[in-house]
Amino acid sequence: MAGQPDDSMRWELTRDQRFQTACFALCFLAFMLAEAAVNTRAAAFLGPQRVTIAYALGLVCTGLGFLSFTLLRKLVRGERGRKHVVVLAGVLCIASAVLLLTTGQTALFLLCAALCLLSCGHIGGCVYYNHAMIFQESRCMGRATGTGMALAVLLQFLIQSVIPLDAIFLVSMVASILLVVFLVSKAPRDWLLDDPLPYSAESKTQRRTALVPLLAVILMSLVSGLIDGVITAFDSAGTFDVYHGVRLFYAVGLAAAGWVADLRERRLLPLVTACFILLSSVSTALLSSPAGYFAGVALMYVYSGFYVIFLTVPFCGFAPKTSQPELWAGLGRTARCFTVAAVVPSTPWLYDAWGSTVLTVASCLLSVAVLLVMLPLIVRGEQKEQPLSPEQALEQFCQSCHLTPRESEVLQKLLESEDNLQSIASDLAISVRMVQRYVTSIYEKTGTKSRMGLHQRYTQHMLENR
């Protein structure tokens, strides 16, 4: 319809959102480089057969880092103090990264590896929280997230495959962490949270709804852990290399999943992710030969792209509607860390003892379980809707334009009265400046430029939903 914004295809990023996309991509790159460095050095210090244990412990440290951000945000009050904590985490991350890449002592390496991933997780918790706040109710969070992560994977590929020099690797890792900390310290406060209205009427229902993707992430992480354990063991033993050309399929999966996430208000993401997890389940049966290994890992990487977007975008989208957004924003990633850590150490042993058949069967059964768990998300909203009352139409209009509760309240005043902004501010007991900001956001989200255009846009919506 003319004048009606297309929810699925609009690609409009504000300055703050572009800023945050770069920060998110750099954080993802820093984490991948840190994880690769720990696994590579662990093979040298502990032997290839123990790399999966080091990988699992590293995931636990990362998960604890995400949780530490939530805890310290509660303990440290004030934006300045919180930014100081993140800066300290960045300093700790850089110092431990330099030491773990240069030390010759096993004990010091293990300590530095744990501190590096712990502080990296803390920084990640902060970046995920900012991502959720800045992209609150955005139509293009998926595309921005997927594109940024895909570019980070391409950078990692260049650093580790095209220019495989230790000095370049170290400089890239330190530079990524420095840039992330700098961007986080300069991030603007989200003015939409200065005077929020709670989602009190929806909190319990939405929290129960959010448990469905959380359970799905745990089950998907079990599938991912089964495959990760085998390919990590192969890579550390030098049998195959997971950081060369096949790694590019990960970037493809992330970019594609990001675009799918923004279609039909994220209703397609669970379905497509479920389809890819079923395909990836057969990848374990292909790992026994070089040709099959490439195909199996390629399938696994494409699935991993959808899996990572699924554990990121829905949780960042849901987080601002909770009383603990700093926890929910990174909860998908946290669940992934602890679940994969529980599975990874045993998978190489299972593969050696029983071959790929057992892992393939286990992956298929878990994939079916994921499909069943995500069924409510897949069929959500597919039922034919009845004609709406004026009140329901207004509520649906607000939801379709992704307005926050306070924006919806301001919109109602704009539509139902001719009051000026000063009167609206008095009625809502907020400042005129805040009303102006809300009106600007409403115009941006509805694709209008004036109060008259807003009335026309809403009238069109009413006629379409009689």
Side-chain angles (χ1 to χ4, degrees), residues 191-206:
W191 58 264
L192 285 175
L193 297 180
D194 288 348
D195 181 52
L197 279 180
Y199 289 74
S200 55
E202 301 174 284
S203 294
K204 291 183 179 180
T205 301
Q206 294 208 7

Side-chain angles (χ1 to χ4, degrees), residues 20 50 63-64 75 90 95 110 179 203 300 382 400 404 412 459:
Q20 174 59 29
R50 295 180 180 174
L64 291 174
L75 296 177
L110 292 173
L179 285 171
S203 294
M300 184 275 294
E382 295 299 323
S400 67
T404 66
Q412 187 173 6
T459 299

